Amino acid sequence: MILIPAIDLKDGQCVRLRQGEMDSATVFSDDPAAMASHWLALGARRLHLVDLNGAFAGKPKNSAAIEGIIKAVGIDIPVQLGGGIRDLDTIERYLDTGLRYVILGSAAVKDPGFLHDACDAFPGHIIVGLDAKDGKVAVDGWSKVTHHDVVDLAQRFQDYGVESVVYTDIGRDGMMSGVNIESTVALARALHIPVIASGGITNLDDIRALCAVAGEGIEGAITGRAIYEGTLDFAAGQRLADELIA
């Protein structure tokens, strides 16, 4: 079980949102590369980046900050990125800079053919991000809830060859109200590829709860606001996870 620090990028700064609302952004750093180096020094084994402006614009908007982060951490740890990725050329450009994984969310849900093509063109590098509310997948910055059942869609995308699924309970994200363990486990049990939990991690109790079900197929957990606001000590959380899973 790995803890994955989130670096959400808005206007070149490291921010966090509450439930995906752009006007609720809290700025935590104006130097994302330094922040990435900080988490690496504390023992991070992967980084999760989101181009928030890109997600809303439908095209990359924080490329300079993203490239700076990749240069800062080098090949020491894999970096994954979502937001504003809508075509194969963009995926290729990012992978060429050293990015390890590309996360496709709304684009995958709205255009499954694109996801299928991406998995074929870049095997082992494509993660699908599924954001759900009450079991239904949401798109377009969580502004629209579709009729798609998250488990059914994940199983379909699994067959395309995605590397893993990042699952976010949008009711929990940025709210520090605890992880939706039940829904995360239900999804993981339905798949044979790993699930990465996202949304709601607050403290060490959430780490314990996730580690208790890690054997169901939960590979890691993305954490953002908690490690920036200090309710979760990142290094202590990773140590605890290592102890519990050992």
PDB file of all heavy atoms in Angstrom, residues 79-100:
ATOM      1  N   VAL A  79       5.633   9.206 -12.002  1.00  0.00           N
ATOM      2  CA  VAL A  79       4.708  10.323 -11.889  1.00  0.00           C
ATOM      3  C   VAL A  79       3.516  10.042 -12.791  1.00  0.00           C
ATOM      4  O   VAL A  79       3.676   9.620 -13.940  1.00  0.00           O
ATOM      5  CB  VAL A  79       5.375  11.653 -12.300  1.00  0.00           C
ATOM      6  CG1 VAL A  79       4.380  12.808 -12.191  1.00  0.00           C
ATOM      7  CG2 VAL A  79       6.605  11.933 -11.428  1.00  0.00           C
ATOM      8  N   GLN A  80       2.324  10.264 -12.267  1.00  0.00           N
ATOM      9  CA  GLN A  80       1.099  10.083 -13.039  1.00  0.00           C
ATOM     10  C   GLN A  80       0.375  11.416 -13.135  1.00  0.00           C
ATOM     11  O   GLN A  80       0.438  12.238 -12.223  1.00  0.00           O
ATOM     12  CB  GLN A  80       0.203   9.023 -12.407  1.00  0.00           C
ATOM     13  CG  GLN A  80      -0.274   9.348 -10.998  1.00  0.00           C
ATOM     14  CD  GLN A  80      -0.926   8.161 -10.301  1.00  0.00           C
ATOM     15  OE1 GLN A  80      -0.428   7.040 -10.377  1.00  0.00           O
ATOM     16  NE2 GLN A  80      -2.048   8.410  -9.645  1.00  0.00           N
ATOM     17  N   LEU A  81      -0.315  11.622 -14.262  1.00  0.00           N
ATOM     18  CA  LEU A  81      -0.942  12.914 -14.523  1.00  0.00           C
ATOM     19  C   LEU A  81      -2.305  12.759 -15.163  1.00  0.00           C
ATOM     20  O   LEU A  81      -2.491  11.958 -16.078  1.00  0.00           O
ATOM     21  CB  LEU A  81      -0.054  13.743 -15.467  1.00  0.00           C
ATOM     22  CG  LEU A  81      -0.697  14.983 -16.103  1.00  0.00           C
ATOM     23  CD1 LEU A  81      -0.884  16.086 -15.068  1.00  0.00           C
ATOM     24  CD2 LEU A  81       0.138  15.480 -17.272  1.00  0.00           C
ATOM     25  N   GLY A  82      -3.249  13.563 -14.702  1.00  0.00           N
ATOM     26  CA  GLY A  82      -4.556  13.657 -15.331  1.00  0.00           C
ATOM     27  C   GLY A  82      -4.940  15.109 -15.526  1.00  0.00           C
ATOM     28  O   GLY A  82      -4.404  16.005 -14.860  1.00  0.00           O
ATOM     29  N   GLY A  83      -5.872  15.342 -16.462  1.00  0.00           N
ATOM     30  CA  GLY A  83      -6.376  16.691 -16.687  1.00  0.00           C
ATOM     31  C   GLY A  83      -6.020  17.246 -18.044  1.00  0.00           C
ATOM     32  O   GLY A  83      -4.849  17.495 -18.336  1.00  0.00           O
ATOM     33  N   GLY A  84      -7.013  17.403 -18.912  1.00  0.00           N
ATOM     34  CA  GLY A  84      -6.802  18.048 -20.195  1.00  0.00           C
ATOM     35  C   GLY A  84      -6.167  17.191 -21.266  1.00  0.00           C
ATOM     36  O   GLY A  84      -5.688  17.717 -22.270  1.00  0.00           O
ATOM     37  N   ILE A  85      -6.182  15.893 -21.083  1.00  0.00           N
ATOM     38  CA  ILE A  85      -5.558  14.992 -22.054  1.00  0.00           C
ATOM     39  C   ILE A  85      -6.658  14.416 -22.939  1.00  0.00           C
ATOM     40  O   ILE A  85      -7.469  13.614 -22.492  1.00  0.00           O
ATOM     41  CB  ILE A  85      -4.774  13.878 -21.334  1.00  0.00           C
ATOM     42  CG1 ILE A  85      -3.697  14.500 -20.436  1.00  0.00           C
ATOM     43  CG2 ILE A  85      -4.145  12.923 -22.346  1.00  0.00           C
ATOM     44  CD1 ILE A  85      -3.062  13.546 -19.452  1.00  0.00           C
ATOM     45  N   ARG A  86      -6.671  14.828 -24.194  1.00  0.00           N
ATOM     46  CA  ARG A  86      -7.774  14.493 -25.085  1.00  0.00           C
ATOM     47  C   ARG A  86      -7.347  13.834 -26.389  1.00  0.00           C
ATOM     48  O   ARG A  86      -8.179  13.525 -27.228  1.00  0.00           O
ATOM     49  CB  ARG A  86      -8.576  15.762 -25.428  1.00  0.00           C
ATOM     50  CG  ARG A  86      -9.184  16.495 -24.230  1.00  0.00           C
ATOM     51  CD  ARG A  86     -10.340  15.721 -23.620  1.00  0.00           C
ATOM     52  NE  ARG A  86     -11.050  16.502 -22.630  1.00  0.00           N
ATOM     53  CZ  ARG A  86     -10.750  16.529 -21.331  1.00  0.00           C
ATOM     54  NH1 ARG A  86      -9.736  15.795 -20.903  1.00  0.00           N
ATOM     55  NH2 ARG A  86     -11.455  17.258 -20.487  1.00  0.00           N
ATOM     56  N   ASP A  87      -6.027  13.641 -26.601  1.00  0.00           N
ATOM     57  CA  ASP A  87      -5.590  13.036 -27.859  1.00  0.00           C
ATOM     58  C   ASP A  87      -4.280  12.288 -27.658  1.00  0.00           C
ATOM     59  O   ASP A  87      -3.573  12.482 -26.661  1.00  0.00           O
ATOM     60  CB  ASP A  87      -5.445  14.095 -28.959  1.00  0.00           C
ATOM     61  CG  ASP A  87      -4.469  15.203 -28.582  1.00  0.00           C
ATOM     62  OD1 ASP A  87      -3.256  14.932 -28.510  1.00  0.00           O
ATOM     63  OD2 ASP A  87      -4.925  16.342 -28.353  1.00  0.00           O
ATOM     64  N   LEU A  88      -3.959  11.426 -28.620  1.00  0.00           N
ATOM     65  CA  LEU A  88      -2.781  10.571 -28.523  1.00  0.00           C
ATOM     66  C   LEU A  88      -1.491  11.373 -28.593  1.00  0.00           C
ATOM     67  O   LEU A  88      -0.492  11.008 -27.953  1.00  0.00           O
ATOM     68  CB  LEU A  88      -2.812   9.511 -29.628  1.00  0.00           C
ATOM     69  CG  LEU A  88      -3.980   8.526 -29.591  1.00  0.00           C
ATOM     70  CD1 LEU A  88      -3.874   7.532 -30.746  1.00  0.00           C
ATOM     71  CD2 LEU A  88      -4.039   7.765 -28.265  1.00  0.00           C
ATOM     72  N   ASP A  89      -1.483  12.467 -29.339  1.00  0.00           N
ATOM     73  CA  ASP A  89      -0.274  13.281 -29.433  1.00  0.00           C
ATOM     74  C   ASP A  89       0.107  13.866 -28.079  1.00  0.00           C
ATOM     75  O   ASP A  89       1.291  13.932 -27.723  1.00  0.00           O
ATOM     76  CB  ASP A  89      -0.474  14.417 -30.448  1.00  0.00           C
ATOM     77  CG  ASP A  89      -0.484  13.921 -31.887  1.00  0.00           C
ATOM     78  OD1 ASP A  89      -0.005  12.784 -32.125  1.00  0.00           O
ATOM     79  OD2 ASP A  89      -0.970  14.664 -32.773  1.00  0.00           O
ATOM     80  N   THR A  90      -0.897  14.305 -27.324  1.00  0.00           N
ATOM     81  CA  THR A  90      -0.623  14.850 -25.990  1.00  0.00           C
ATOM     82  C   THR A  90      -0.049  13.776 -25.077  1.00  0.00           C
ATOM     83  O   THR A  90       0.907  14.022 -24.328  1.00  0.00           O
ATOM     84  CB  THR A  90      -1.909  15.434 -25.377  1.00  0.00           C
ATOM     85  OG1 THR A  90      -2.393  16.486 -26.214  1.00  0.00           O
ATOM     86  CG2 THR A  90      -1.649  15.978 -23.979  1.00  0.00           C
ATOM     87  N   ILE A  91      -0.610  12.579 -25.139  1.00  0.00           N
ATOM     88  CA  ILE A  91      -0.082  11.475 -24.332  1.00  0.00           C
ATOM     89  C   ILE A  91       1.376  11.208 -24.691  1.00  0.00           C
ATOM     90  O   ILE A  91       2.234  11.075 -23.806  1.00  0.00           O
ATOM     91  CB  ILE A  91      -0.922  10.195 -24.552  1.00  0.00           C
ATOM     92  CG1 ILE A  91      -2.348  10.400 -24.037  1.00  0.00           C
ATOM     93  CG2 ILE A  91      -0.269   9.003 -23.850  1.00  0.00           C
ATOM     94  CD1 ILE A  91      -3.275   9.231 -24.331  1.00  0.00           C
ATOM     95  N   GLU A  92       1.653  11.151 -25.987  1.00  0.00           N
ATOM     96  CA  GLU A  92       3.027  10.869 -26.429  1.00  0.00           C
ATOM     97  C   GLU A  92       3.995  11.939 -25.948  1.00  0.00           C
ATOM     98  O   GLU A  92       5.104  11.628 -25.478  1.00  0.00           O
ATOM     99  CB  GLU A  92       3.070  10.753 -27.948  1.00  0.00           C
ATOM    100  CG  GLU A  92       4.427  10.334 -28.490  1.00  0.00           C
ATOM    101  CD  GLU A  92       4.405  10.027 -29.972  1.00  0.00           C
ATOM    102  OE1 GLU A  92       3.530  10.574 -30.679  1.00  0.00           O
ATOM    103  OE2 GLU A  92       5.251   9.242 -30.430  1.00  0.00           O
ATOM    104  N   ARG A  93       3.581  13.202 -26.050  1.00  0.00           N
ATOM    105  CA  ARG A  93       4.463  14.288 -25.606  1.00  0.00           C
ATOM    106  C   ARG A  93       4.765  14.174 -24.121  1.00  0.00           C
ATOM    107  O   ARG A  93       5.916  14.339 -23.691  1.00  0.00           O
ATOM    108  CB  ARG A  93       3.827  15.648 -25.907  1.00  0.00           C
ATOM    109  CG  ARG A  93       3.883  16.058 -27.364  1.00  0.00           C
ATOM    110  CD  ARG A  93       3.650  17.563 -27.527  1.00  0.00           C
ATOM    111  NE  ARG A  93       2.370  17.984 -26.986  1.00  0.00           N
ATOM    112  CZ  ARG A  93       1.229  17.976 -27.668  1.00  0.00           C
ATOM    113  NH1 ARG A  93       1.209  17.523 -28.911  1.00  0.00           N
ATOM    114  NH2 ARG A  93       0.111  18.401 -27.106  1.00  0.00           N
ATOM    115  N   TYR A  94       3.743  13.896 -23.325  1.00  0.00           N
ATOM    116  CA  TYR A  94       3.970  13.770 -21.882  1.00  0.00           C
ATOM    117  C   TYR A  94       4.864  12.581 -21.556  1.00  0.00           C
ATOM    118  O   TYR A  94       5.781  12.684 -20.723  1.00  0.00           O
ATOM    119  CB  TYR A  94       2.631  13.636 -21.150  1.00  0.00           C
ATOM    120  CG  TYR A  94       1.972  14.951 -20.815  1.00  0.00           C
ATOM    121  CD1 TYR A  94       0.605  15.151 -21.056  1.00  0.00           C
ATOM    122  CD2 TYR A  94       2.690  15.987 -20.219  1.00  0.00           C
ATOM    123  CE1 TYR A  94      -0.009  16.352 -20.726  1.00  0.00           C
ATOM    124  CE2 TYR A  94       2.069  17.187 -19.894  1.00  0.00           C
ATOM    125  CZ  TYR A  94       0.735  17.362 -20.149  1.00  0.00           C
ATOM    126  OH  TYR A  94       0.126  18.549 -19.819  1.00  0.00           O
ATOM    127  N   LEU A  95       4.625  11.451 -22.174  1.00  0.00           N
ATOM    128  CA  LEU A  95       5.452  10.275 -21.900  1.00  0.00           C
ATOM    129  C   LEU A  95       6.898  10.518 -22.319  1.00  0.00           C
ATOM    130  O   LEU A  95       7.834  10.051 -21.663  1.00  0.00           O
ATOM    131  CB  LEU A  95       4.881   9.044 -22.608  1.00  0.00           C
ATOM    132  CG  LEU A  95       3.510   8.569 -22.116  1.00  0.00           C
ATOM    133  CD1 LEU A  95       3.067   7.344 -22.910  1.00  0.00           C
ATOM    134  CD2 LEU A  95       3.521   8.248 -20.623  1.00  0.00           C
ATOM    135  N   ASP A  96       7.093  11.276 -23.395  1.00  0.00           N
ATOM    136  CA  ASP A  96       8.447  11.583 -23.850  1.00  0.00           C
ATOM    137  C   ASP A  96       9.203  12.458 -22.851  1.00  0.00           C
ATOM    138  O   ASP A  96      10.440  12.445 -22.826  1.00  0.00           O
ATOM    139  CB  ASP A  96       8.401  12.285 -25.212  1.00  0.00           C
ATOM    140  CG  ASP A  96       8.111  11.328 -26.366  1.00  0.00           C
ATOM    141  OD1 ASP A  96       8.203  10.103 -26.156  1.00  0.00           O
ATOM    142  OD2 ASP A  96       7.782  11.815 -27.468  1.00  0.00           O
ATOM    143  N   THR A  97       8.468  13.238 -22.041  1.00  0.00           N
ATOM    144  CA  THR A  97       9.134  14.081 -21.039  1.00  0.00           C
ATOM    145  C   THR A  97       9.547  13.287 -19.803  1.00  0.00           C
ATOM    146  O   THR A  97      10.257  13.818 -18.942  1.00  0.00           O
ATOM    147  CB  THR A  97       8.224  15.236 -20.585  1.00  0.00           C
ATOM    148  OG1 THR A  97       7.094  14.716 -19.875  1.00  0.00           O
ATOM    149  CG2 THR A  97       7.755  16.058 -21.763  1.00  0.00           C
ATOM    150  N   GLY A  98       9.096  12.042 -19.702  1.00  0.00           N
ATOM    151  CA  GLY A  98       9.444  11.224 -18.545  1.00  0.00           C
ATOM    152  C   GLY A  98       8.274  10.857 -17.659  1.00  0.00           C
ATOM    153  O   GLY A  98       8.445  10.151 -16.654  1.00  0.00           O
ATOM    154  N   LEU A  99       7.075  11.338 -18.002  1.00  0.00           N
ATOM    155  CA  LEU A  99       5.892  10.939 -17.256  1.00  0.00           C
ATOM    156  C   LEU A  99       5.690   9.431 -17.396  1.00  0.00           C
ATOM    157  O   LEU A  99       5.882   8.868 -18.478  1.00  0.00           O
ATOM    158  CB  LEU A  99       4.671  11.677 -17.816  1.00  0.00           C
ATOM    159  CG  LEU A  99       3.393  11.622 -16.992  1.00  0.00           C
ATOM    160  CD1 LEU A  99       3.514  12.548 -15.785  1.00  0.00           C
ATOM    161  CD2 LEU A  99       2.197  12.060 -17.846  1.00  0.00           C
ATOM    162  N   ARG A 100       5.316   8.760 -16.318  1.00  0.00           N
ATOM    163  CA  ARG A 100       5.143   7.305 -16.367  1.00  0.00           C
ATOM    164  C   ARG A 100       3.718   6.900 -16.752  1.00  0.00           C
ATOM    165  O   ARG A 100       3.524   5.984 -17.542  1.00  0.00           O
ATOM    166  CB  ARG A 100       5.488   6.694 -15.005  1.00  0.00           C
ATOM    167  CG  ARG A 100       5.357   5.171 -14.942  1.00  0.00           C
ATOM    168  CD  ARG A 100       6.493   4.457 -15.645  1.00  0.00           C
ATOM    169  NE  ARG A 100       7.751   4.820 -14.998  1.00  0.00           N
ATOM    170  CZ  ARG A 100       8.255   4.194 -13.930  1.00  0.00           C
ATOM    171  NH1 ARG A 100       7.603   3.189 -13.367  1.00  0.00           N
ATOM    172  NH2 ARG A 100       9.423   4.574 -13.425  1.00  0.00           N
TER     173      ARG A 100
END
